[in-house]
Amino acid sequence: MAGPEWALASAGVIVVLSLILGPLLRFSLQPVAGSMKVSMPPSTSVNPITAALQQTDLQVGKGPIELGESEVIRVKIANPDYLRTGYFTEYKGNGWSRIRPETLEASTGFVHIDLEYPGNWTDPWPKGVPLEPIQGAKTMELELLGPSDSLSVLPAPGPIVGLYIDKPGNSTYSLSGMVYRRRQLAIGESAKVRYLVPDPNVEPGSSVLPPEFKVLDRYFIENSKTPKAVLDFARRAASGSKNDFDKAKQIKEAIARTAGYTLKAPALSPTSDAVEQFLFSTKKGYCDLFATAMVVCARSVGMRARYTIGYLITDPKKDSDGFYTVRAKDAHSWAEVYLEGKG
């Protein structure tokens, strides 16, 4: 975990606002590693792709944590970045739920794609990832190097649109640009990934989804379980803002002023609202609570947002082959806010 730093995000269907505004607080996923992992270790009885796709719930605010140094994967990428492995959309008061694949397929008409890779580039979405409305996107590339025993999801900063793997192994492209692997990368085995990022030269617009993506609206703005105190906090924080980008910045700053970052934060009551406890009672937390508060507050003022998990590369040193090492302590969660023109 990268200490008391956090970022909003809106890259992909959403920009990591990656704002350099005082202490950038980044939300770590490690606090609730037991229930937050998208990936699962290999099993003789459980298909890791199925397990990753069906893992739907996580709890936040589970109390003090200790971080590990074990290697997760190595990544060759231009600069250290966020590496997304999944996202959650339904806030349940004490945690999050993911949209099940069959629900998305039924509501959108799109389907997940299963492919074998014979050693050449594969692009399953030639017209763009179905459920990731990025406007003016740029295609970037990275390389992943195994072993990746704990990862059934290939991490990338944005939705994956291309994949090259030397050895065959069934992979599933999800509707949101994730790639789930039936077989994890072995020692020395690599995978090249092409992914989308927003054009940095485009100014962010409002947090309103384009008409063709309206089917996603209810997943990114639903806030029926938000307590009145949290709604009021969000509205006060966003007051006077000129646009949705400013709203997001103001909410981020208000949360940072209200709560302190610590890995020794007390466990929250699972029977009371996590964000309300975090902002008005304990006022202490780490990644999962900062990210949850940001998403819930953004939705409270009409913005489309989701809770995203993955890793943040924190070691700036590359090895002799040009790879960054991603470790267990780099596990993170962060808020992603949709902004027109960015995604």
Side-chain angles (χ1 to χ4, degrees), residues 78-101:
N79 298 294
D81 207 340
Y82 290 83
L83 301 172
R84 185 177 68 163
T85 60
Y87 69 81
F88 294 77
T89 57
E90 182 185 357
Y91 180 58
K92 303 178 69 176
N94 66 351
W96 292 91
S97 287
R98 183 202 303 273
I99 312 171
R100 287 184 176 275

Side-chain angles (χ1 to χ4, degrees), residues 145-156:
L145 184 66
S148 60
D149 290 343
S150 63
L151 278 180
S152 293
V153 184
L154 298 183

Side-chain angles (χ1 to χ4, degrees), residues 90-123:
E90 182 185 357
Y91 180 58
K92 303 178 69 176
N94 66 351
W96 292 91
S97 287
R98 183 202 303 273
I99 312 171
R100 287 184 176 275
E102 58 269 25
T103 302
L104 275 178
E105 290 176 3
S107 62
T108 64
F110 293 111
V111 295
H112 288 67
I113 295 179
D114 292 313
L115 294 170
E116 291 286 345
Y117 298 96
N120 57 3
W121 281 99
T122 303
D123 177 7

Side-chain angles (χ1 to χ4, degrees), residues 7-278:
L8 290 179
S10 164
V13 163
I14 309 181
V15 177
V16 171
L17 289 176
S18 285
L19 305 171
I20 310 301
L21 299 174
L24 260 196
L25 298 159
R26 288 191 169 94
F27 324 115
S28 171
L29 198 186
Q30 187 65 27
V32 284
S35 60
M36 265 178 129
K37 282 187 177 178
V38 174
S39 56
M40 293 184 66
S43 167
T44 56
S45 60
V46 178
N47 179 333
I49 292 179
T50 301
L53 284 168
Q54 297 300 328
Q55 193 270 325
T56 58
D57 297 295
L58 66 87
Q59 183 181 337
V60 298
K62 295 180 70 175
I65 60 163
E66 294 183 6
L67 305 175
E69 293 284 343
S70 59
E71 181 177 324
V72 175
I73 199 167
R74 285 190 282 167
V75 183
K76 182 179 287 187
I77 191 171
N79 298 294
D81 207 340
Y82 290 83
L83 301 172
R84 185 177 68 163
T85 60
Y87 69 81
F88 294 77
T89 57
E90 182 185 357
Y91 180 58
K92 303 178 69 176
N94 66 351
W96 292 91
S97 287
R98 183 202 303 273
I99 312 171
R100 287 184 176 275
E102 58 269 25
T103 302
L104 275 178
E105 290 176 3
S107 62
T108 64
F110 293 111
V111 295
H112 288 67
I113 295 179
D114 292 313
L115 294 170
E116 291 286 345
Y117 298 96
N120 57 3
W121 281 99
T122 303
D123 177 7
W125 311 121
K127 295 183 180 180
V129 182
L131 302 185
E132 290 283 305
I134 307 178
Q135 294 88 26
K138 299 175 63 177
T139 301
M140 307 291 286
E141 188 173 314
L142 61 76
E143 183 176 358
L144 302 167
L145 184 66
S148 60
D149 290 343
S150 63
L151 278 180
S152 293
V153 184
L154 298 183
I160 293 174
V161 294
L163 179 63
Y164 183 101
I165 293 181
D166 293 330
K167 298 179 180 179
N170 183 264
S171 299
T172 295
Y173 274 87
S174 78
L175 302 178
S176 55
M178 310 289 181
V179 172
Y180 300 87
R181 291 278 296 163
R182 187 178 301 277
R183 179 180 60 79
Q184 290 79 17
L185 297 177
I187 295 175
E189 184 180 358
S190 68
K192 294 180 181 179
V193 167
R194 289 174 179 158
Y195 59 94
L196 300 179
V197 296
D199 186 341
N201 298 314
V202 176
E203 290 295 319
S206 64
S207 186
V208 177
L209 291 175
E212 62 269 30
F213 293 100
K214 283 297 184 182
V215 68
L216 298 177
D217 216 41
R218 62 192 177 100
Y219 298 118
F220 295 141
I221 200 168
E222 194 279 331
N223 70 336
S224 61
K225 293 181 172 65
T226 305
K228 183 178 184 302
V230 176
L231 290 170
D232 291 342
F233 175 92
R235 290 163 182 164
R236 287 195 303 271
S239 65
S241 58
K242 297 179 180 179
N243 51 49
D244 284 340
F245 185 73
D246 285 344
K247 278 185 189 177
K249 290 191 293 183
Q250 290 177 201
I251 291 171
K252 173 186 179 295
E253 292 166 347
I255 294 171
R257 289 193 302 268
T258 299
Y261 181 98
T262 175
L263 302 181
K264 298 180 179 180
L268 302 182
S269 168
T271 60
S272 298
D273 185 83
V275 175
E276 188 171 25
Q277 292 178 76
F278 173 58

